Structures are given as C-alpha cells and as structure tokens.
Amino acid sequence: MARFDILVHIRRYEGDSLAAGVAFALARRLDAYVSGLYVASLGTVAYSTLETVVFQVQEADEIYHSALAQGESWTQRIGAAGVKGEWLVAQGEPVEAICHAARWHDLVVAERPQLNADAPVGWGLVSRTVFGAGVPVVVVPETTKTADAGERVVIAWNHSREAARAIHGALPLLRQAKEVLVLDGVEQTSLVGARHLPALDLAACFARHGVKAQFRPFEATGNYGAGILEAAHAATADLIVMGAWGHSRIAELVLGGATRHLFQHSDVPLFVAH
C-alpha cells in the first residue's frame, strides 16, 4: 500500500527523463506511487487561422493517441526502478493539466529547462505550476548531475509562510534523510501589524516529527539565492527545500530574488512551495 502519491510531468516520453529519475528516487524513499503525466499541448490553436486550426487539432489528437500507447513502456520503466505507478495522458494547456492532476497527488516533480527556458523565470511552465498546483513541487534543473534526491537536504528557512509550507510538505522526506542542514535566516517582517505573535520553534517541531537536523545561522552578504546554492554545494546536498516567490513575480523579475536566482542557476533539485 502506497503512503504517498507523486505526479511527474514527462516533457518527452522518448528517452530518459531527469524528472522521472528524481521521482523514482523519491518514491523509493517514501514508498510512493508514481503517476507519469504527458500533456499533448493545444497551446497554439487559439492563435491559429481557421484554415490551419483543423490540421493542428488533428496533429494534437495523433500525439495524444501516440502518448496513450506509451503506457506499457512506462510500466516497464517503473518496474525497473522498483516502484509502482501509472501512466496518464492529457490534451490541452500543460499547466492546467498538471494542476488538475496534482489535486489527488501529494507532490509534483517537473523538469525545468535552463539552457532553453520556455519563458522568463516566474512565467514559465514550472513557475506557474508552483503557483497553481496547491501541493509542493520538486523543480529538477536540466543541469542536475544525479537523480538521487533526499539523502542530504539543505533547508532555506526564513520564517516565511512559503518556507513553512515547503518544510511541512517535505517532512516525510526529512525523516528519511541522512543529513539535514537548516540555513536559519533572518525572519521576514510581518505585514499583519499584529503584536506578540507566537514564533515557530523549528528545532522543537523537528524533534516532535522525528527529523534530525543541524541549524546554522545564515545571512548572505549579497545575493541570497547564490548564498543558498553555495551552502548546498558545500554540504554536497542533493535537495534544497525552500519557499518560492515570497515576493511577487513582478518584484522578483525587476529586483531579483532567491527564487529567481535558484530557478536560473541551481544544479540541485529544489523542493518548493508557494
């Protein structure tokens, strides 16, 4: 009986998939059921002329049925990886399809192109999935060197709602991790205007949940994202847990931010929540 459900977005069903490799590694740690999702996109139909839309829909239908036929191949792949799961295919706008399927999963795994990004950081497929999925997302950079994830974890803790959501979603992984390092950053200023708010004692929370972690004060001298990535490299981490888009996407695009930097430059998978 599976204790966790993972949805992995498969961009190309031919050949190997970094996202699938990471999903399989996480599934083995979590005793999880892995659903592979391929989306036959209809994204350009809305901008097509009447003369071409019929051909585009026909082509999309052919891709959809071709993808459906990959179910047996997926069964073989998950069997070889030592996990259980199923093959899902959708047709339509990819983010809508992923967020729809995420409703009955605990975690989404998605590969993010970095060399040929599909859109500016904050507006691409993976960024929009983080906003819309309603569950944490593991962002797999295409520069990731290994599919192993969850053995050595670095947590970027700035006491924000987003970081707390990411940590809460990662608890099953953190219990299984060999090493957990918490970069204990400066608490964000509350915008609520309330006084004497109770503080979250993360160390005590981890003790209650059976997570063994080391805490290290963290205050980057410049770019916070670069500082987090440097600390992750120093700890040989294979996963970074963090909140995503603590500021608006516009603010991060204009002013920069940790999420934007790590989405652009990290070679370590990111376990994020918004």
Side-chain angles (χ1 to χ4, degrees):
M1 181 176 66
R3 297 182 296 172
F4 208 79
D5 291 303
I6 296 175
L7 176 71
V8 54
H9 176 227
I10 304 298
R11 286 179 176 262
R12 299 167 300 278
Y13 52 73
E14 306 93 346
D16 295 331
S17 165
L18 278 173
V22 170
F24 296 157
L26 295 175
R28 288 190 292 268
R29 294 184 186 280
L30 297 170
D31 188 19
Y33 190 84
V34 183
S35 301
L37 173 66
Y38 179 85
V39 184
S41 177
L42 281 172
T44 61
V45 171
Y47 304 99
S48 302
T49 64
L50 291 175
E51 291 77 12
T52 60
V53 66
V54 173
F55 297 101
Q56 288 180 311
V57 171
Q58 182 179 359
E59 181 182 17
D61 284 342
E62 291 174 357
I63 294 173
Y64 172 78
H65 289 291
S66 177
L68 281 176
Q70 300 299 314
E72 181 59 33
S73 175
W74 180 255
T75 300
Q76 293 175 0
R77 289 172 68 181
I78 61 176
V83 300
K84 296 181 179 180
E86 63 181 306
W87 180 243
L88 306 174
V89 182
Q91 185 183 69
E93 203 283 318
V95 174
E96 288 187 5
I98 296 169
C99 292
H100 169 79
R103 295 173 186 171
W104 62 90
H105 291 84
D106 301 293
L107 181 68
V108 174
V109 180
E111 181 181 341
R112 184 187 185 278
Q114 289 173 294
L115 302 179
N116 297 295
D118 53 3
V121 177
W123 304 99
L125 183 150
V126 174
S127 300
R128 290 184 290 133
T129 298
V130 171
F131 273 88
V135 296
V137 177
V138 173
V139 181
V140 182
E142 63 184 354
T143 52
T144 296
K145 297 179 177 64
T146 176
D148 195 24
E151 183 173 3
R152 292 180 173 84
V153 183
V154 163
I155 300 174
W157 173 231
N158 64 354
H159 305 254
S160 68
R161 177 192 66 179
E162 291 79 12
R165 288 198 65 191
I167 291 169
H168 185 77
L171 279 175
L173 270 175
L174 298 177
R175 294 189 192 100
Q176 303 292 330
K178 183 177 180 180
E179 296 179 10
V180 177
L181 171 63
V182 179
L183 304 177
D184 196 352
V186 178
E187 184 172 357
Q188 291 189 344
T189 303
S190 173
L191 301 179
V192 178
R195 299 177 62 200
H196 308 303
L197 292 174
L200 170 61
D201 185 341
L202 189 59
C205 176
F206 278 174
R208 291 195 303 273
H209 287 274
V211 177
K212 297 180 181 179
Q214 293 182 326
F215 284 74
R216 180 186 302 169
F218 176 75
E219 186 173 357
T221 56
N223 185 308
Y224 275 88
I228 294 168
L229 186 57
E230 181 180 358
H233 286 158
T236 62
D238 51 40
L239 189 68
I240 298 173
V241 175
M242 58 180 285
W245 310 111
H247 303 289
S248 72
R249 279 177 284 187
I250 292 293
E252 292 228 6
L253 285 169
V254 175
L255 302 174
T259 310
R260 181 187 179 196
H261 182 91
L262 287 165
F263 271 41
Q264 286 180 317
H265 301 289
S266 180
D267 54 358
V268 180
L270 310 170
F271 187 110
V272 303
H274 174 74

